[in-house]
Amino acid sequence: MIVNSSDWPDLQLLEAAPILAWRSGADGLCDWFNSSWLAYTGRTLAQELGNGWTEGVHPEDFGCCLQIYLEAFGRRAPFEMEYRILRACGTYGWIVDCGVPIFNKDHHFLGYVGYCFDITARRENEEKIDIFCHDLERSNAELEQFAYAASHDLREPLRMVVSYSTLLKKNIAGHLDEDSKEFFGYIERSAKRMDEMIRDLLDYSRVERHGNNIISTKLVEAVDYALQNLSHRIKEQNAEIKIDFDPALKVMGDAHQLARLFQNLIGNALKYCAAETPPRIRLTAEAAKDGMITLAVEDNGIGIPAEFSERIFQLFQRLHTREVYDGTGVGLSICRKIVERHGGKIWVSPAPGGGSIFRFTLPVPPD
């Protein structure tokens, strides 16, 4: 800041201001503090002059505070720093201190004028957020340990149940009546279903912590990978898959998870197709808006009642019994978790000609 005379600018406005203000000379020593500063610290002007004000700086912040001030002073440069200072109430408060170098019209350095704001509430909130994030990180680590147990420790007893059930059935095969055979079938199917639920739950828990980097990715490559995994079912059901977007279209994404997303959505379209009607599935993309693009997977299947449009994305929620359609009710939950990890959202609506349209948003690469 340049003033029009060799004298300091009038400090009356800063004296009456509700902010904390100070001034130092060309020697770096403070020679003035306004009444707001003195009321905040509970000290007299005589106590604060020179380097007296540093007596109130928190010992943990003193070194960094002094270094920033001296470096800026040596370069005659503006500075901003945050530190704790003892308040009149006897506790430390956080302030942000902004210093502005002052020069006269001949560009001679006069010193600094500084103004400060109390940011104690903000810093306390930041500390609370840090504690919350630490607790959340620990909770996620515990969840990962649980997922590990689910994938190994819990599945091992299931394998034993199936193995010994198979051996028992083989050993007494000649003595089984129809009811006994049916009971063995219940055991095997239930164990298989439990194993599938555990595996799907593990996949769900790994979306956030085991994903790859989100980078610029060709969308059609993720779709092609999904279609390769579903190729047998597509051929078996004589399904028609139409990719109705630019093959060069790119999004910001984890290619592996995007492939899983399309595989789940297309797989559901194949599963919930109308009776005796070959599946017709269409993939489209709308124009990007505000850095996001809306993609859609439309099918001609049995459709989803509007009242269940949110429920289907919840864990283990199913609209049909396992006797009608198999599955664990986790697939769409994984889809939502993948989309949300990419900063998007997913929803479903009825298709005009019957069936469903699953829409979701993904970020696009910057220009």
Side-chain angles (χ1 to χ4, degrees), residues 37-342:
W37 176 285
L38 300 178
Y40 187 84
T41 61
R43 288 161 61 90
T44 65
L45 180 61
Q47 289 175 312
E48 299 291 75
L49 292 178
N51 288 326
W53 65 276
T54 62
E55 295 174 2
V57 177
H58 195 286
E60 294 180 2
D61 304 332
F62 179 81
C64 180
C65 176
L66 187 61
Q67 181 181 358
I68 293 174
Y69 178 75
L70 293 178
E71 286 182 356
F73 191 92
R75 295 184 290 111
R76 310 294 195 254
F79 68 84
E80 180 178 313
M81 58 184 175
E82 296 180 7
Y83 57 90
R84 287 163 289 181
I85 193 165
L86 193 62
R87 297 179 290 189
C89 62
T91 63
Y92 284 95
W94 280 97
I95 62 172
V96 57
D97 192 342
C98 304
V100 180
I102 305 297
F103 301 87
N104 65 14
K105 63 181 180 179
D106 296 323
H107 300 283
H108 292 150
F109 175 64
L110 302 179
Y112 275 84
V113 168
Y115 54 95
C116 314
F117 301 95
D118 184 286
I119 57 169
T120 305
R122 191 199 80 188
R123 290 298 297 247
E124 288 176 348
N125 288 335
E126 289 175 352
E127 290 175 3
K128 290 178 181 178
I129 292 173
D130 288 341
I131 293 172
F132 173 78
C133 290
H134 175 75
D135 291 343
L136 183 61
E137 185 71 20
R138 183 179 59 190
S139 177
N140 286 339
E142 291 173 353
L143 177 61
E144 188 171 1
Q145 286 297 109
F146 166 77
Y148 178 84
S151 64
H152 295 83
D153 301 342
L154 296 183
R155 292 180 68 191
E156 183 59 29
L158 285 176
R159 285 192 285 267
M160 297 297 290
V161 168
V162 173
S163 296
Y164 281 106
S165 174
T166 302
L167 287 173
L168 181 60
K169 184 172 66 173
K170 182 179 179 180
N171 289 340
I172 61 174
H175 305 284
L176 292 176
D177 56 22
E178 291 304 316
D179 286 343
S180 299
K181 292 178 181 178
E182 187 176 358
F183 296 156
F184 273 105
Y186 288 150
I187 294 173
E188 292 168 356
R189 288 192 297 273
S190 296
K192 179 182 178 183
R193 187 161 63 247
M194 178 69 77
D195 187 62
E196 290 173 349
M197 292 176 68
I198 291 172
R199 284 190 289 107
D200 285 348
L201 184 60
L202 176 63
D203 289 342
Y204 179 83
S205 70
R206 284 180 168 175
V207 170
E208 287 287 349
R209 296 182 62 82
H210 291 270
N212 297 320
N213 292 335
I214 294 178
I215 60 175
S216 180
T217 304
K218 269 194 174 182
L219 194 65
V220 72
E221 293 179 356
V223 174
D224 287 344
Y225 188 84
L227 294 179
Q228 290 176 16
N229 291 339
L230 296 168
S231 59
H232 178 73
R233 290 173 59 187
I234 293 172
K235 183 177 180 180
E236 186 177 59
Q237 296 180 242
N238 193 29
E240 177 185 300
I241 314 291
K242 185 177 182 182
I243 302 176
D244 200 4
F245 58 77
D246 186 352
L249 175 63
K250 292 184 177 182
V251 298
M252 294 299 294
D254 176 338
H256 177 75
Q257 290 188 347
L258 293 182
R260 178 66 181 273
L261 171 64
F262 280 106
Q263 183 173 325
N264 284 5
L265 293 176
I266 297 172
N268 276 358
L270 295 172
K271 180 193 295 186
Y272 299 104
C273 62
E276 300 180 358
T277 302
R280 299 291 180 262
I281 303 168
R282 181 168 173 253
L283 279 58
T284 59
E286 299 178 6
K289 182 180 179 181
D290 298 328
M292 303 293 286
I293 190 168
T294 300
L295 305 164
V297 177
E298 180 179 352
D299 63 57
N300 63 338
I302 61 176
I304 298 171
E307 60 267 30
F308 299 122
S309 60
E310 178 60 28
R311 174 184 165 186
I312 60 172
F313 293 104
Q314 298 174 9
L315 270 172
F316 302 122
Q317 295 298 313
R318 297 172 50 86
L319 304 185
H320 308 277
T321 64
R322 294 182 177 85
E323 288 71 28
V324 180
Y325 295 102
D326 63 355
T328 61
V330 179
L332 288 177
S333 300
I334 292 176
C335 289
R336 182 170 67 177
K337 201 166 184 68
I338 290 173
V339 171
E340 289 178 349
R341 184 195 170 218
H342 288 72

Side-chain angles (χ1 to χ4, degrees), residues 342-357:
H342 288 72
K345 59 181 181 178
I346 185 170
W347 68 98
V348 64
S349 57
S356 303
I357 305 177

